[in-house]
Amino acid sequence: QQQVKQSPQSLIVQKGGISIINCAYENTAFDYFPWYQQFPGKGPALLIAIRPDVSEKKEGRFTISFNKSAKQFSLHIMDSQPGDSATYFCAARDAGGYQKVTFGIGTKLQVIP
Amino acid sequence: KAGVTQTPRYLIKTRGQQVTLSCSPISGHRSVSWYQQTPGQGLQFLFEYFSETQRNKGNFPGRFSGRQFSNSRSEMNVSTLELGDSALYLCASSLAGRSYEQYFGPGTRLTVT
């Protein structure tokens, strides 16, 4: 059972366009929602993280939008560049217990010139 | 600070054999998590260790086991290898209380023939 549902699994965007990746969750005990970026041959790296009491967080061209009532959050990459081509994972941390982190299935983004 | 290191980087084993993978976390990080990454399955959580104790465990068979040493280094072992165990095995470390901010190693690519 997927606790964090991520879509789409693959995405092709033209250079300069906006890339949008969506995630949804059910567990209301999640308290942190990070996004990771993974380039081929590398491990994932933390890109940006948001708490559910914040509706939006920007870091450069990357923006996380959070809709607590809908239990959805998304990553927007503005002015997408070929160098952004990577796999992106959304994740969620459980505030209870030992604060386990659950990852989405990943989105392979290709930005074409 | 040195990043998370994993050894070996590549491994080829035969069905039925066993394998041990090693992970050295970032200095000061006491939490180490292990993930299996396969195409189409995303990051599947194996287990997490903190101060030599397993705190969280994913839905993998008992053939997958791990341990953590007093210096926070961790090993994972897979016994009686199956073809389906072929995957990239990732190790990640984090500071106590910051499990949403995980630092991943480059992974060990295991191929079972």
Side-chain angles (χ1 to χ4, degrees), chain B residues 27-39:
Chain B
S27 177
H29 288 194
R30 292 161 61 191
S31 172
V32 174
S33 298
W34 288 89
Y35 297 87
Q36 181 194 66
Q37 185 174 22
T38 54

Side-chain angles (χ1 to χ4, degrees), chain A residues 9 32-34 36 38 41-46 49 87 89 93-94 97-101 103-106, chain B residues 9 35 37 40-43 45 48 55-58 88 90 97-107:
Chain A
Q9 289 192 36
Y32 263 100
F33 299 85
Y36 285 79
Q38 183 181 28
K42 305 278 188 183
L46 179 67
T87 299
F89 294 93
R93 183 183 83 165
D94 196 325
Y98 294 120
Q99 301 179 331
K100 180 182 171 184
V101 175
F103 285 82
I105 200 164
Chain B
R9 291 292 311 278
Y35 297 87
Q37 185 174 22
Q41 293 296 316
L43 292 168
F45 174 76
E48 184 234 350
R55 296 200 304 188
N56 288 306
K57 190 177 189 307
L88 180 68
L90 290 160
R98 295 178 71 91
S99 57
Y100 62 90
E101 189 176 344
Q102 297 190 20
Y103 293 82
F104 284 82

